[in-house]
Amino acid sequence: VPADITIECDVDPSDLSITGDVTDEADNCSTGLEATYTDSLANGSCANESVITRTWTLTDECDNTTTLVQTITVEDTTAPTFNEALPTDVTVECDAIPTAETLTANDNCGDATVTFEEEITNSTCDDSYTLTRTWTAADACGNETVHSQSITVQDTTAPIFNEALPTDVTVECDAVPTAETLTANDNCGDATVTFEEEITNSTCDNSYTLTRTWTAADACGNETVHSQSITVQDTTAPTFNEALPTDVTVECDAVPTAETLTANDNCGDATVTFEEEITNGACVGDYIIERTWIASDACGNETLHIQIITVQDTTAPTLLTPLDDNITAYCDDVPGVPELVFEDSCSNNISVSFNEDSNQSNGFEDYSIVRTWTVTDDCGNVATFTQNINVEINNTITAFDANRCVLDSEFDLFELLSGDYSTDGTWTVVSGDAIIDGSVFDPSSVDVGIYTFMYSITESACPAEVEVNVTIDDDCVVLPCGAEDVVISKTVTANGDSFNEFFTISGVEDCGFVVELQIFNRWGAEIYKNNNYQNDWNGDAHGSSVGNSGKVPTGTYYYIINLKNSGLKPFAGPIYVATDK
């Protein structure tokens, strides 16, 4: 009797060997009966499963029938199988990940579908991870075959630079190349390039080593490093900015002022130092000036410029004071020797010689006087100055009596004369107990009364005599700080005996005047000058005077005193100076 059975979906129910048992059955009346069946199909839980109800019928020759029902359960329990070779686990670089395989599958009962999934498990960096690929082959009844492939993705390859890499170079400090901008690419993704620059100082500011480093890095920390060493040096000297002074030959009073030179350097600042050396010549006005400018940079590179100035003195001294070259004068009015002041452009060491010639033959004819000053400087340059005086015989003297107060200061008796006359005569006291110093009479040295003085020209071509009367009274009004209050030294004896050691101006100390003093020798050369005199001159000649500086020789000198802010006329007169020279 057919039993109920369960078969796989890939078994043909018609191939079941179950008919033999029925066919071999014997009937009580017949033998060799053959069974027949009919199937009734019912769907199972899925497409490849079903339930077959098979009804067997056995009929003998007399149409006696026996019926048997057999249940055949068709099920699908076999999973599909993949058709291709399955991918194995691999370890690869991030740029060599294999393409996912396309797998297919077959099923014993029908079609099979393959689904694909991919899962990433991150690791230490973006380009290092585990890639799990899963293929699932499924049939209609849900039987599955799963295959997984593990791909270990790693990034062990460093980036590479895209550009040509800078090489080591040696350059001047003003030619340091600009740092290259480098980029890089990575086999797995983006690469970043960082840049660093380090300076290693050397012997000077503009001499150093510049190390430039580019680092290309990927996401996983793989790095490619390139370094460039730039040896920076400064071997170029500075250059001057201005036109450079040239060698010149000049007069001693036309020496040019030293130029102020500046310089620039290709690498930075430059300093300019200046030196001047003088080599003396044969005289004060002849010498050589060597001027040197040195431009230096921070590394000691130097540019040097030398200017040679040849200084010479070819110019003779000149006359500062006015001099009338030609004069016509009466015999009694021949002008005295003028006080001339000379100047040399190069030297204070000026020698002056004076000569006066006269062709006077008797006292009744006109004659001439020739005065000659010969002035020589230290370099031997000579200048001659001449004054010609044509003297006419004539003496016209008009005398005036005068009144003076006993407080008045000394005055020159020539102030009481007018006309054309010679000043070479002699003043004498005719009446009165008075003393005169040449032509100078001091009213303060006598008592009240009348004093008579005579001026006589005897040893002259124009002899003459004239008397003047001076009445001395005590009715004057004392005016403080007046001319009569000024007391001026007549003698300076600079011999260390504490008497008359200094030339003094006294009597007006409390008047607030500023004393301006000039002292000249008999040739007109200024030997001393002070615009705020303090009664401290004892025969010294200053360095800018005619002659050498030091004590003046013993002799008669002449002063001019100006009392500033006094309203008084300048005072002038002689002074006798005694020194040990």
Side-chain angles (χ1 to χ4, degrees):
V1 178
D4 293 339
I5 60 173
T6 297
I7 63 173
E8 275 295 306
C9 58
D10 57 347
V11 177
D12 188 353
S14 62
D15 291 340
L16 294 174
S17 299
I18 61 172
T19 60
D21 294 335
V22 178
T23 302
D24 293 338
E25 284 293 326
D27 183 67
N28 62 339
C29 293
S30 303
T31 60
L33 298 178
E34 184 177 355
T36 62
Y37 65 88
T38 60
D39 288 336
S40 174
L41 180 65
N43 293 330
S45 60
C46 61
N48 294 329
E49 290 185 340
S50 60
V51 177
I52 301 172
T53 303
R54 181 168 282 184
T55 303
W56 295 92
T57 303
L58 183 63
T59 302
D60 61 15
E61 292 178 353
C62 288
D63 292 327
N64 294 302
T65 303
T66 297
T67 302
L68 182 64
V69 176
Q70 180 187 27
T71 299
I72 302 172
T73 301
V74 181
E75 59 183 11
D76 185 359
T77 61
T78 302
T81 59
F82 288 102
N83 296 320
E84 297 80 16
L86 298 179
T88 59
D89 293 344
V90 290
T91 297
V92 296
E93 281 290 298
C94 53
D95 60 343
I97 300 172
T99 304
E101 297 284 348
T102 300
L103 298 182
T104 61
N106 66 76
D107 188 62
N108 59 333
C109 296
D111 293 332
T113 59
V114 178
T115 59
F116 174 74
E117 292 181 351
E118 193 172 67
E119 182 181 0
I120 293 176
T121 302
N122 292 327
S123 183
T124 54
C125 59
D126 290 347
D127 294 323
S128 179
Y129 52 90
T130 300
L131 181 63
T132 303
R133 290 175 173 172
T134 303
W135 293 265
T136 302
D139 60 15
C141 290
N143 297 299
E144 294 180 346
T145 299
V146 178
H147 175 71
S148 292
Q149 179 190 29
S150 178
I151 301 175
T152 301
V153 181
Q154 59 185 11
D155 183 2
T156 62
T157 303
I160 58 174
F161 289 103
N162 296 318
E163 296 81 14
L165 299 180
T167 58
D168 294 346
V169 290
T170 298
V171 297
E172 280 291 296
C173 50
D174 61 342
V176 176
T178 303
E180 297 284 347
T181 299
L182 298 183
T183 61
N185 66 77
D186 187 60
N187 59 332
C188 297
D190 294 332
T192 59
V193 178
T194 58
F195 173 74
E196 293 181 350
E197 191 171 72
E198 182 180 1
I199 293 176
T200 303
N201 293 326
S202 184
T203 55
C204 60
D205 290 347
N206 296 324
S207 179
Y208 54 91
T209 299
L210 183 63
T211 302
R212 290 173 172 170
T213 303
W214 294 262
T215 303
D218 62 16
C220 289
N222 299 299
E223 293 182 346
T224 298
V225 178
H226 175 71
S227 292
Q228 179 191 29
S229 180
I230 302 175
T231 301
V232 181
Q233 60 186 10
D234 183 2
T235 62
T236 304
T239 58
F240 288 103
N241 296 320
E242 297 80 14
L244 299 179
T246 58
D247 295 345
V248 290
T249 298
V250 297
E251 282 290 299
C252 53
D253 60 344
V255 176
T257 303
E259 297 284 347
T260 299
L261 298 183
T262 61
N264 68 77
D265 186 61
N266 60 329
C267 298
D269 294 332
T271 59
V272 178
T273 58
F274 172 74
E275 295 178 353
E276 184 174 85
E277 182 178 354
I278 295 176
T279 302
N280 292 326
C283 59
V284 173
D286 285 350
Y287 53 94
I288 292 175
I289 302 174
E290 181 177 309
R291 290 174 174 171
T292 303
W293 293 264
I294 301 175
S296 304
D297 63 17
C299 288
N301 299 298
E302 293 184 346
T303 299
L304 180 144
H305 176 70
I306 297 176
Q307 179 192 31
I308 301 297
I309 301 175
T310 301
V311 182
Q312 59 185 11
D313 180 5
T314 62
T315 304
T318 57
L319 176 64
L320 291 182
T321 50
L323 176 65
D324 292 331
D325 296 336
N326 295 289
I327 299 174
T328 298
Y330 290 115
C331 58
D332 55 355
D333 194 26
V334 174
V337 177
E339 299 174 350
L340 301 184
V341 178
F342 304 95
E343 180 184 61
D344 187 64
S345 57
C346 302
S347 171
N348 291 328
N349 189 14
I350 304 172
S351 63
V352 179
S353 63
F354 174 76
N355 183 66
E356 182 175 279
D357 292 325
S358 173
N359 62 358
Q360 182 178 9
S361 59
N362 55 55
F364 305 100
E365 295 180 357
D366 294 344
Y367 61 95
S368 63
I369 299 173
V370 178
R371 293 170 175 169
T372 303
W373 292 263
T374 302
V375 187
T376 307
D377 66 15
D378 186 69
C379 289
N381 299 297
V382 179
T384 301
F385 304 92
T386 302
Q387 182 182 58
N388 296 306
I389 304 174
N390 297 313
V391 181
E392 297 179 355
I393 303 302
N394 184 35
N395 260 331
T396 302
I397 304 176
T398 302
F400 302 92
D401 292 337
N403 286 74
R404 290 289 188 272
C405 176
V406 292
L407 298 179
D408 288 346
S409 61
E410 63 184 14
F411 69 98
D412 195 330
L413 294 173
F414 280 117
E415 294 177 9
L416 306 181
L417 303 181
S418 66
D420 295 329
Y421 59 92
S422 170
T423 60
D424 294 334
T426 301
W427 284 92
T428 58
V429 179
V430 176
S431 65
D433 186 11
I435 299 174
I436 58 176
D437 182 7
S439 61
V440 177
F441 171 52
D442 186 358
S444 65
S445 66
V446 297
D447 296 328
V448 173
I450 299 175
Y451 296 87
T452 303
F453 304 94
M454 176 181 287
Y455 177 62
S456 302
I457 303 174
T458 56
E459 298 179 1
S460 170
C462 302
E465 284 185 348
V466 65
E467 290 185 352
V468 294
N469 296 313
V470 177
T471 301
I472 304 300
D473 58 46
D474 57 2
D475 298 331
C476 57
V477 178
V478 177
L479 297 176
C481 304
E484 64 277 7
D485 299 309
V486 180
V487 180
I488 300 172
S489 293
K490 297 179 176 61
T491 302
V492 172
T493 56
N495 54 11
D497 61 0
S498 300
F499 296 100
N500 298 326
E501 284 290 318
F502 298 98
F503 179 73
T504 59
I505 299 97
S506 58
V508 290
E509 290 86 346
D510 298 328
C511 298
F513 302 154
V514 176
V515 180
E516 294 180 342
L517 172 64
Q518 291 175 278
I519 297 179
F520 301 88
N521 64 17
R522 65 187 300 251
W523 307 120
E526 180 187 87
I527 64 167
Y528 181 79
K529 180 178 181 179
N530 194 317
N531 290 330
N532 187 14
Y533 183 61
Q534 302 296 321
N535 289 338
D536 54 359
W537 184 72
N538 64 348
D540 290 329
H542 59 60
S544 62
S545 66
V546 173
N548 292 318
S549 61
K551 296 293 185 181
V552 299
T554 297
T556 299
Y557 294 83
Y558 300 89
Y559 63 81
I560 296 178
I561 298 171
N562 179 31
L563 299 181
K564 288 190 66 176
N565 307 319
S566 69
L568 302 176
K569 293 182 180 180
F571 298 85
I575 180 172
Y576 180 76
V577 178
T579 66
D580 57 359
K581 297 183 66 175

